[in-house]
Amino acid sequence: MSDNRRDFIKKSAILAAASAVSSSALGNLLPDDGNLEELYDYSIENGDVYFEGKLQKLYVGINSSGRLKISQKPLKAQQYINAAGKIVSPGFIDILADNSSAPEDTYLTFESYKVSDGVTSALQLHGGHHKAATYYKTFTKKSHYINWGVSTKVMNIRRNQKSINTRLKVIEKNLAYGAIAISHSIEYQPTPYSELLEYGKLAYKYQRPLFLHLRYSSKEQELSGVIEAIKIARDTGAAVHIDHLNSTGGTFHMEKAISLIKTAVEEGLKITTCVYPYSYWATYLHSKRFDEGWRKRYNLTYSDLTVVGTGEKLSQSRFNELRSKSGVLVAVPEGTMPLSQTVDIAIKEDFCLIGSDGGIERANRANNHPRGAGCFATAVRHFQDIGIPLETILYKLTEAPTKLLKPALMKRGKLKDNYRADIIIFDKDTINGAATMANPNQFSDGIDYVFVNGEIACKQKKLKFMNGKQIKIQAAKIM
């Protein structure tokens, strides 16, 4: 039978059969309580279902509207999926996806590597877009494998608008159209604190989080960036999210960075952060991170840099040549950010989530960090391996982002009656990211099914149907 639950032939047959049944015959289908028993498009059976924070033996139904039914009893369905020995979970939510390079041309490649990694909602809240209305109007017309949405990107707005007042007006316009957050990268575009406060005030006014790539990433100064983010939250009341703390802010002093954030949270401030499960960072050669003095800041040299996707090691002359170009991504050596000293410490905190900070944008051997294709499967594998309960991991990948991004993700991130059927079925023993620095373009292992809004979007590493929806905040929600 076709995987497409809206298959025309199937629907026609059902309609014909229903028309042929007399009212007396319908009476025979009624259960004891007098209600007509619903026929679901799918019933997922025999799996360990992540429900209310625990793995339980339950039945998961998907109706014709792409909504969920969770039951302790078997459900009648047109298709049954046997999930014996597998985990049935809400789809993963990537709050730090990145598809900033020519998205109109690259978005399908980007989405294919997200959905094959178990991601059902990829939200670009690190960069986003400086014209949210244009972005949403353009991409709403296109078909998508996954749910999608963007923040308002301050970096580009600052390049285009010279006065703070004009910048703020543009940001407000983006928020009015539904942008999920305000995002800014202070390291890449240094900004006065007084101006950052204005962005924080807007975030508080419209109850959207302020996503920050911190000002410093060096051993000597990184904690100053964490302190600054906390101060913004305190001075404005805004919810502040610190992007990828393992590579910016806590690379060298993670325990102290976590302590600072924990104290702020205990004070009542709204601070969250995220990490990605890799021991090396990557960024563009033309960025300010490689300004004069970078070798001393990171204790690295030219030959430590590898062009992602080709494996080319750089020399000084090649570094200078490629630095004059845009869009060349290089990675530092594995182990530069030891997991045991960074990610493994941060992930134990309730305020720490997972965000990829990446996306695959080209079809063959992309110049993108492997986290763009394998972040979430790698996270599930790694954190299980170091003894973190699977239920804790799944919470961070599914429900926790919905709390940070209310109301944008209403009725997502949980397996609950009438919620959106964004679901992943995977093998907890074999799930793992397959993407590597030499070849990032690889679908993750151990993932059997990914449903997006009730449609099978990916099955056994094969892309299926496109049923992704936009994620935005309606103007009516604005304060």
Side-chain angles (χ1 to χ4, degrees):
M1 183 181 291
S2 168
D3 286 323
N4 188 346
R5 63 186 176 81
R6 295 188 178 88
D7 179 84
F8 175 78
I9 297 176
K10 181 181 73 177
K11 289 181 67 178
S12 299
I14 295 168
L15 181 60
S19 299
V21 177
S22 66
S23 59
S24 60
L26 280 174
N28 296 328
L29 297 177
L30 294 175
D32 293 340
D33 62 5
N35 294 321
L36 184 65
E37 186 172 358
E38 184 170 358
L39 180 66
Y40 292 90
D41 285 7
Y42 292 99
S43 176
I44 303 171
E45 303 181 333
N46 303 319
D48 292 308
V49 179
Y50 179 64
F51 178 74
E52 299 296 342
K54 299 179 181 179
L55 293 172
Q56 307 181 47
K57 291 294 184 183
L58 296 167
Y59 296 86
V60 179
I62 302 174
N63 69 17
S64 59
S65 298
R67 300 280 181 162
L68 289 167
K69 174 66 178 178
I70 311 301
S71 175
Q72 293 181 334
K73 299 178 180 180
L75 300 169
K76 287 191 175 182
Q78 297 179 62
Q79 296 190 62
Y80 295 88
I81 295 177
N82 183 5
K86 305 297 173 69
I87 305 298
V88 182
S89 165
F92 303 148
I93 298 172
D94 187 356
I95 58 174
L96 224 62
D98 182 23
N99 184 34
S100 57
S101 177
E104 288 190 58
D105 299 324
T106 60
Y107 83 99
L108 282 180
T109 298
F110 164 80
E111 291 183 1
S112 68
Y113 285 96
K114 289 297 179 185
V115 74
S116 61
D117 194 33
V119 173
T120 54
S121 297
L123 308 177
Q124 298 184 60
L125 307 185
H126 187 331
H129 204 270
H130 59 294
K131 295 181 179 179
T134 300
Y135 190 95
Y136 277 106
K137 288 175 181 177
T138 299
F139 282 92
T140 299
K141 299 174 184 177
K142 301 178 183 294
S143 297
H144 297 266
Y145 286 112
I146 54 177
N147 306 312
W148 54 277
V150 294
S151 61
T152 177
K153 188 175 182 178
V154 172
M155 281 184 68
N156 285 6
I157 292 171
R158 293 185 80 249
R159 291 192 188 104
N160 297 333
Q161 307 296 332
K162 301 306 179 185
S163 74
I164 293 179
N165 287 339
T166 305
R167 293 167 182 169
L168 295 175
K169 288 179 181 178
V170 172
I171 292 171
E172 286 203 82
K173 181 179 179 181
N174 285 336
L175 296 176
Y177 197 79
I180 303 170
I182 300 173
S183 59
H184 193 30
S185 299
I186 322 171
E187 179 180 16
Y188 298 143
Q189 193 182 79
T191 303
Y193 184 77
S194 59
E195 185 175 339
L196 295 176
L197 280 182
E198 297 304 317
Y199 302 142
K201 290 175 183 177
L202 274 186
Y204 176 76
K205 177 181 178 181
Y206 291 105
Q207 291 298 288
R208 316 288 168 90
L210 175 62
F211 275 62
L212 290 177
H213 174 117
L214 301 183
R215 192 182 298 273
Y216 306 112
S217 57
S218 67
K219 184 175 182 178
E220 293 74 21
Q221 292 183 289
E222 65 173 5
L223 291 177
S224 296
V226 176
I227 292 169
E228 180 178 47
I230 293 171
K231 182 171 171 52
I232 293 171
R234 182 180 293 112
D235 289 349
T236 66
V240 174
H241 182 85
I242 298 173
D243 299 343
H244 46 66
L245 185 66
N246 55 315
S247 66
T248 315
T251 306
F252 304 97
H253 306 91
M254 181 59 80
E255 288 186 350
K256 181 60 177 175
I258 289 297
S259 177
L260 288 167
I261 297 171
K262 185 182 292 188
T263 299
V265 171
E266 291 171 351
E267 180 186 329
L269 302 183
K270 297 178 181 179
I271 308 282
T272 54
T273 189
C274 61
V275 294
Y276 51 79
Y278 295 84
S279 65
Y280 56 96
W281 52 266
T283 195
Y284 296 104
L285 268 182
H286 68 264
S287 73
K288 290 188 70 63
R289 183 167 277 211
F290 288 110
D291 279 359
E292 187 66 32
W294 66 270
R295 288 180 293 168
K296 182 178 179 181
R297 280 196 299 275
Y298 308 119
N299 193 28
L300 298 169
T301 190
Y302 302 103
S303 59
D304 289 322
L305 305 181
T306 302
V307 179
V308 182
T310 69
E312 178 187 1
K313 296 286 188 180
L314 298 189
S315 62
Q316 182 174 358
S317 60
R318 184 65 167 154
F319 173 92
N320 293 332
E321 177 187 350
L322 294 179
R323 184 153 160 75
S324 65
K325 302 178 180 180
S326 63
V328 179
L329 192 87
V330 296
V332 299
E334 291 191 44
T336 298
M337 308 181 301
L339 293 175
S340 63
Q341 298 174 30
T342 56
V343 171
D344 297 355
I345 295 171
I347 201 63
K348 295 175 183 177
E349 304 298 332
D350 292 342
F351 52 75
C352 183
L353 285 65
I354 302 295
S356 72
D357 188 31
I360 302 297
E361 297 174 324
R362 297 173 180 82
N364 296 307
R365 298 179 74 85
N367 181 221
N368 297 97
H369 193 294
R371 63 189 180 225
C375 176
F376 289 83
T378 299
V380 175
R381 173 79 279 123
H382 173 70
F383 294 130
Q384 284 188 102
D385 289 347
I386 66 170
I388 294 179
L390 181 57
E391 295 91 335
T392 300
I393 304 166
L394 292 179
Y395 174 80
K396 290 176 178 290
L397 301 182
T398 60
E399 186 176 352
T402 70
K403 296 181 182 298
L404 171 63
L405 299 170
K406 284 182 178 180
L409 291 170
M410 290 180 62
K411 292 191 178 295
R412 298 190 190 275
K414 295 180 70 174
L415 298 184
K416 186 175 180 178
D417 286 357
N418 205 39
Y419 270 47
R420 303 280 185 178
D422 296 340
I423 302 172
I424 172 177
I425 303 175
F426 67 92
D427 187 322
K428 68 181 179 64
D429 296 321
T430 62
I431 189 171
N432 204 358
T436 64
M437 195 187 306
N439 183 12
N441 294 57
Q442 300 187 67
F443 286 179
S444 293
D445 294 328
I447 298 175
D448 293 0
Y449 286 88
V450 182
F451 285 83
V452 177
N453 297 306
E455 292 280 16
I456 295 177
C458 189
K459 177 181 178 182
Q460 301 288 358
K461 297 190 179 185
K462 301 293 184 183
L463 299 173
K464 292 294 183 178
F465 302 102
M466 306 176 78
N467 199 34
K469 308 298 182 185
Q470 66 176 4
I471 303 293
K472 59 185 290 192
I473 296 177
Q474 301 299 327
K477 299 291 183 181
I478 291 179
M479 296 175 62

